Amino acid sequence: MYRVFEALDELVAIVEEARGIPPTRSCIVPRGDVLELLDDVRDALPGELDDAQDVLDHRDKIVSDARTAAETAVTGANEQAEHTITSAREEADRILADAKAHADRMVAEASAHADHLVASAQEEADRVVADGNAEYEAVTGRARVESDRMIEAGKAAYDRSVAEGLAEQERLVTQTDVVRAAHAESARVIDAAHAEADRLREECDHYVDSRLADFEETLTSTLRTVGRGRHQLRSGTGVPDYASEFRR
């Protein structure tokens, strides 16, 4: 490019120094020198200028072709985008439907399992309560029979002691000292009989109370187990193991 500017400067100098032709504005320049400089300019110009001129000559066609290609690409991209969006929407609807069906199935299974657990827990609780009531009735019945037997035994011992005391009193009624001793012995025997009867009654009451305490503990453990199971069912922390509670 430097040679181009240099040749142009030389052409300008030749034209400025050329001799004029009066009365016109024309001048006489050396043809050979000018042609040689013009050849130098043409040789110095890069070939890209010719390519650029060709591009300029075909600019409208290139722009038109580019616009057509761009419109085609945009149309294809829009069609592809619509197809992709439609496919994605259909796939999302299918996945959503599958997820909803799976969730409904899981909820139904969980509800059925919870109902089964509640029914099993209720049956177990009813069985435990029934067993406890039966045990209570059996223990109470045995305690009542034992209490009645002890009371009857105490009464028999008391009556026997009273009868023996009365017989001894009658035998010794004529003797003052003996009578007093008999009265004392009779009173002692009577007091001993009362004490024995009270002791037997106290032992009976203690036995009944201990059996009732055991039954109360069993019922308390059962109610605590049922309450824990209900809490686990409501909170969903797991399936309660009632059998492990009763194995303790």
Side-chain angles (χ1 to χ4, degrees):
M1 291 299 295
Y2 175 78
R3 178 55 185 161
V4 171
F5 293 111
E6 185 181 17
L8 291 175
D9 291 339
E10 292 179 3
L11 286 173
V12 170
I14 290 174
V15 172
E16 287 178 350
E17 295 174 0
R19 185 176 59 188
I21 301 176
T24 64
R25 296 177 57 85
S26 299
C27 63
I28 300 173
V29 295
R31 178 181 296 175
D33 294 339
V34 171
L35 291 177
E36 182 179 355
L37 289 175
L38 289 176
D39 289 337
D40 292 340
V41 169
R42 181 164 48 192
D43 293 337
L45 289 176
E48 286 80 359
L49 291 179
D50 293 336
D51 295 337
Q53 184 62 43
D54 292 339
V55 170
L56 291 176
D57 294 339
H58 297 84
R59 179 182 57 188
D60 293 338
K61 183 178 183 302
I62 293 173
V63 170
S64 177
D65 292 343
R67 183 180 292 109
T68 301
E71 290 176 353
T72 302
V74 170
T75 301
N78 289 333
E79 292 177 354
Q80 182 65 29
E82 291 178 357
H83 176 71
T84 302
I85 292 172
T86 302
S87 300
R89 186 179 292 109
E90 292 175 353
E91 182 66 16
D93 292 340
R94 185 186 65 78
I95 293 174
L96 181 61
D98 292 343
K100 185 176 183 303
H102 182 65
D104 293 340
R105 185 170 61 256
M106 291 182 64
V107 169
E109 291 175 356
S111 298
H113 184 61
D115 293 339
H116 174 69
L117 291 178
V118 170
S120 299
Q122 186 64 41
E123 291 176 359
E124 185 65 21
D126 293 341
R127 186 187 64 78
V128 171
V129 171
D131 292 344
N133 289 333
E135 181 67 17
Y136 170 76
E137 294 296 336
V139 171
T140 305
R142 290 194 299 270
R144 187 179 298 110
V145 171
E146 185 67 18
S147 176
D148 293 340
R149 187 187 65 77
M150 290 181 177
I151 292 172
E152 291 298 328
K155 286 181 178 180
Y158 171 75
D159 293 339
R160 185 171 58 253
S161 298
V162 171
E164 292 175 355
L166 291 175
E168 185 67 19
Q169 181 182 10
E170 290 177 357
R171 188 177 66 82
L172 301 174
V173 70
T174 58
Q175 301 177 10
T176 304
D177 292 337
V178 175
V179 170
R180 283 198 298 269
H183 279 294
E185 183 64 16
S186 177
R188 185 188 65 77
V189 171
I190 291 172
D191 292 337
H194 281 293
E196 181 66 14
D198 292 338
R199 186 184 65 80
L200 293 175
R201 185 179 293 106
E202 183 178 359
E203 289 180 358
C204 179
D205 292 340
H206 178 71
Y207 175 78
V208 173
D209 181 70
S210 63
R211 298 303 296 174
L212 291 177
D214 293 339
F215 178 67
E216 181 182 8
E217 183 178 358
T218 301
L219 287 180
T220 301
S221 177
T222 300
L223 292 175
R224 184 167 58 251
T225 300
V226 173
R228 189 183 302 109
R230 293 182 62 194
H231 174 72
Q232 291 178 353
L233 288 175
R234 288 194 299 268
S235 61
T237 57
V239 178
D241 186 7
Y242 298 104
S244 63
E245 295 291 335
F246 294 107
R247 289 195 296 268
R248 295 180 179 177

